[in-house]
DNA sequence: ATTGCAGCGTACCGTACCGTACGGTTCTGT
DNA sequence: ACAGAACCGTACGGTACGGTACGCTGCAAT
């Protein structure tokens, strides 16, 4: 009969969560090469034996780090409240800015680098884990919002996945890969970037009745210099 | 006085090119873990001593692999011939499809995985090399085409870099990262994807006079099932 | 108090890899 | 033909890491 702590319901005990946190910090700081079993044990003040008892293997530790991190940032899909184009636009912008912030986060970058570096031609175990826990949530959330916008007559598209993919491309562009490759990329604020991307998306997928969300043409938009 | 072979003008001798080719094949097949100095020497039928004499270091070998691969796929920027929107559109579609094919190539994926996996928080040497040799060429080429289109009154935008970034996002979306993470992603033909992306881009950045390149709305476009 | 267990710290083993050294071989220039 | 260099194949040293074993401490339950 074990006393289950509050955090244990996420799959790991509180102590294990602390160890995973240390491992993530170690990974963020020094990359995969710094993520040795001895290093994790030393940083977390635990023994290597416990690591192997809890996670079975080094790969098990890596997988646990991914699932643990994804469990932390889980945000429940906010129920779509009021209708109307401004509300839809604001919600889209909020999600887009949040997406950009998440993708640029230290831990996200480190975990993506880890999964990509581990990926082989045939087997990409961690990569699939990252896609499952990191991409699917944002896709379902954005897709639901797009569907509701279409049901409300604000958006026009046939294939939700296609519309979502376009939206994702407009928001993220190649910033993610550049960040993964170590590019600093000028510090444009995520909010500004999100707003431009959503307006472009609405120009492409907005319903005909509402000709455009913004009076100015997309091509002539002055990018915010802040 | 060494007899310089034809390929030696690229910076490496023919023998060294063969060795780099073997190294690339090894990397594609087994990932970074398979790219050991002994393995490269065995696969290329050369000695480790020669490897260290030619490339100095393991990192030197990795860097040489990147520059060598980029030197192979160098395509000279075709001079923009005739004007007119159909010609511009066709050229954009061609470049876009080529970009998609290159990004999905085995060697490109393997080298990007290598550079990303090696990247640390502060130092990302290979990453910068990949960005320099892999991204800048396509950016300059596409940007020049966009500028010529604007000069010809076919496109309307203020910031070329901004327009290029949007175009890149519309073309690639998140396919690159998905490929790097090991996702198979349905076999949509690059040509079809390129055509849709370019039409979307022209809807956003086409000059006002030519209201749109395609009569059908972008949102209702039936994706080619081929 | 006693007993058992979970876990910490350390030591240890086998292995794999980077980088270097050495003998033998092939090719080139004279 | 001959000298020299370049190079191949292999062997070796040093190091670092993954995984396991062992002694010890503290806590929890009986």
């Amino acid at each position: 009969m074990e006393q289950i702590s509050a955090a244990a319901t996420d799959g790991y005990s509180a102590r294990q969560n602390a160890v995973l946190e240390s491992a993530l910090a170690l990974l963020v700081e020094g990359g995969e090469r710094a993520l040795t079993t001895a290093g994790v044990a030393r940083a977390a003040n635990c023994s290597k034996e416990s690591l192997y008892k809890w996670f079975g293997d080094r790969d098990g530790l890596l997988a646990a780090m991914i699932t643990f991190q994804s469990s932390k940032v889980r945000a429940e899909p906010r129920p779509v409240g009021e209708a109307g184009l401004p509300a839809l636009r604001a919600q889209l912008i909020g999600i887009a800015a949040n997406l950009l912030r998440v993708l640029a986060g230290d831990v996200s970058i480190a975990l993506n680098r880890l999964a990509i570096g581990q990926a082989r031609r045939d087997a990409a175990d961690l990569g699939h884990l990252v896609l499952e826990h990191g991409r699917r949530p944002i896709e379902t959330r954005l897709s639901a919002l797009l569907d509701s916008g279409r049901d409300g007559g604000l958006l026009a598209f046939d294939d939700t996945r296609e519309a979502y993919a376009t939206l994702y491309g407009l928001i993220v562009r190649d910033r993610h890969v550049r960040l993964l490759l170590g590019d600093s990329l000028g510090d444009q604020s995520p909010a500004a970037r999100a707003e431009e991307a959503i307006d472009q998306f609405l120009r492409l997928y907005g319903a005909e009745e509402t000709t455009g969300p913004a009076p100015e043409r997309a091509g002539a938009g002055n990018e915010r210099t802040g």
Side-chain angles (χ1 to χ4, degrees), chain A:
Chain A
M1 194 76 58
E2 36 188 89
Q3 172 70 12
I4 298 180
S5 69
T9 55
D10 293 348
Y12 296 108
S13 74
R15 180 79 183 110
Q16 290 166 15
N17 283 2
V19 170
L20 291 175
E21 201 71 53
S22 297
L24 283 175
L26 217 56
L27 176 70
V28 167
E29 193 54 34
E32 184 192 348
R33 307 299 299 263
L35 199 70
T36 69
T37 55
V40 173
R42 197 179 320 117
N45 282 335
C46 78
S47 70
K48 288 173 65 176
E49 195 169 5
S50 300
L51 288 182
Y52 286 98
K53 175 190 279 287
W54 292 333
F55 309 108
D57 201 350
R58 185 177 185 265
D59 292 338
L61 174 65
L62 304 184
M65 291 167 64
I66 293 177
T67 59
F68 168 65
Q69 172 65 16
S70 68
S71 77
K72 280 199 307 183
V73 295
R74 177 163 308 162
E76 68 279 13
R78 193 179 317 164
V80 185
E82 62 269 70
L85 188 59
L88 175 65
R89 178 173 174 274
Q91 286 205 43
L92 285 173
I93 289 175
I95 296 182
N98 184 45
L99 170 62
L100 286 173
R101 271 186 286 263
V102 167
L103 288 185
D106 285 336
V107 185
S108 167
I109 291 293
L111 284 179
N112 275 274
R113 281 179 180 160
L114 175 67
I116 289 176
Q118 268 240 347
R120 308 265 176 282
R121 193 210 193 91
D122 47 351
D125 205 359
L126 293 183
H128 292 144
L129 211 57
V130 167
L131 284 173
E132 194 77 4
H133 287 71
R135 297 297 248 269
R136 229 188 20 181
I138 185 71
E139 171 162 6
T140 58
R141 196 172 162 195
L142 267 182
S143 295
L145 198 51
L146 293 183
D147 283 339
S148 82
R150 178 176 58 180
D151 293 347
L154 302 173
L155 300 177
F157 54 85
D158 286 346
D159 190 349
T160 304
R161 286 190 54 85
E162 189 72 12
Y164 162 75
T166 300
L167 177 56
Y168 191 98
L170 283 172
I171 296 171
V172 178
R173 291 168 167 177
D174 69 338
R175 291 169 75 103
H176 200 193
V177 177
R178 295 191 92 95
L179 284 171
L180 292 174
L181 283 170
D183 199 19
S184 58
L185 65 82
D187 43 10
Q188 187 187 17
S189 84
R193 178 82 276 284
E195 201 175 326
E196 295 177 7
I198 297 305
D199 284 342
Q200 288 180 323
F201 175 78
L202 291 178
R203 276 185 49 80
L204 286 178
Y205 286 92
E208 297 230 356
E209 293 78 16
T210 69
T211 319
E216 87 271 21
R217 284 191 52 81
N222 313 325
E223 51 180 342
R224 276 152 188 77
T225 56

